[in-house]
Amino acid sequence: MNENESEQTAGILRSQGAQPCSHAEDSDIIIINTCAVREKPVEKLFSLLGRLQHIKKKNNACIGVTGCVAQLFKNEISQRNQSVDFVVGPDNLWKIPEIISSLSQSSSCIIHTPRNRQWREIEPIARKNHISGYVSVMKGCNHFCTYCVVPFAKGREKYRPLPYIKAEIKDLAEKGFKEIHLLGQNVNSYQDPESGKDFVSLLKEISPIKGIEWIRFITSHPKNFTSDIIKTMAETEKICHQLHLPIQSGSDAILRYMGRGYTRQQYLEKIGLLKENMPDISLSTDIIVGFPKETEKDFSETLSVLKQVQYTNIFSFRYSKRPHTAALKYTEEVPFEIKKQRLIQLQELQRRIQLKANQSLIGTQMKVLCMGKSTKNQNSYFGRNEGFQVVNFESASDVTGKFVTLEITDCGPYSLIGRT
Ligand code: SF4
């Protein structure tokens, strides 16, 4: 979602005549789009701002901060770093040109972070590639999981009107895009503001759009992930048999403390239904280790979910405290060293699962959408299969943007190697 918002910001600037440049040293405008989900990217922002001070001194570049850290830490950003000219929240990207124009009249940092309860269209979007496009369908979240800062940073859920979504996808198809990713913090709770049509209707209405061959969506919440969505995925040819379904923990006690709204059993029943309807489905998840009160037994229950589900990929993190969240009241913290050890153990287990699964694909054939040339070798390309795995391969002709059928010849835990 942040990549998509960066593309939107770039689109806004380009529509005003700005051009991209490759080095920060040569820029007149530098905008840092930020994520606040974890603690580390926030720290990185402050260290980056420190490093940018010399550019400010050298060519008086205009420096702005956007995104969730901007929304949550606006005052700290402007107070801690004198080189920042403006701070704009995630609901207000459209305001950037006006703010930049007014900078000459303002000697202090301009902060603009009001909440917008309605969807606001932003165009044009300066897309990074012309093969696979992000399409926002909603923003924000109403769930308030106890560890998560998103509802405070992005606000409550707002849904994009269905006609805008369809128009954007048609436009991408006409431009030659082959794949789309529907984006939102909680795509399954989508509701068209005009007609009230739900996520299943959205999938059904966009799937006939000619030219788009693969449809993906992220992120799904297990609580809102219905059997109707599973049925639609199984019955609609263009919807990839691939799903990111965050579990966060395999322990019922921890899921309850996290306020996730489902049990381990309910989650696993949905996984069972997905596999029953799409035996080839590729699944990924998010895991937080070291959430307050997490015991060895709780952690071993998370490991057992990995063994049972056999995810194609996981995104795993050590718990970090986030501002405003309900979990701040939990005093039973897991020591840093234990969190670190658990993360290593979890990732090592998943590495072994992935390697074994990837080895079983050697000798099989698969359809891959080529995303471009590899930077290492002139004849090497990389792409993604339907399960969203990276496949590297050699080709005598340039097949960027095309579907190719590859035979898998080798693999590692995190990617596959194929040949045409
Ligand atoms: S569902 Fe929970 S984890 Fe996901 S964005 Fe909403 S509050 Fe955060």
Side-chain angles (χ1 to χ4, degrees), residues 45-56:
L45 168 71
F46 286 109
S47 99
L48 175 61
L49 286 173
R51 294 200 304 277
L52 288 177
Q53 269 175 1
H54 76 280
I55 302 177
K56 180 82 185 168

Side-chain angles (χ1 to χ4, degrees), residues 252-310:
D252 278 339
I254 299 299
L255 287 172
R256 211 167 36 248
Y257 296 136
M258 287 176 164
R260 290 290 288 170
Y262 54 83
T263 62
R264 170 196 173 98
Q265 183 58 26
Q266 286 165 338
Y267 178 92
L268 290 174
E269 277 168 12
K270 293 192 184 193
I271 295 288
L273 203 56
L274 281 158
K275 289 187 174 180
E276 198 181 304
N277 282 271
M278 292 166 280
D280 59 339
I281 193 159
S282 163
L283 296 160
S284 59
T285 199
D286 292 332
I287 308 260
I288 296 172
V289 298
F291 189 75
K293 305 180 196 240
E294 186 188 70
T295 61
E296 276 304 322
K297 184 172 172 293
D298 294 319
F299 176 61
S300 69
E301 286 171 3
T302 301
L303 294 178
S304 77
V305 167
L306 261 53
K307 289 179 198 155
Q308 187 171 341
V309 177
Q310 300 279 307

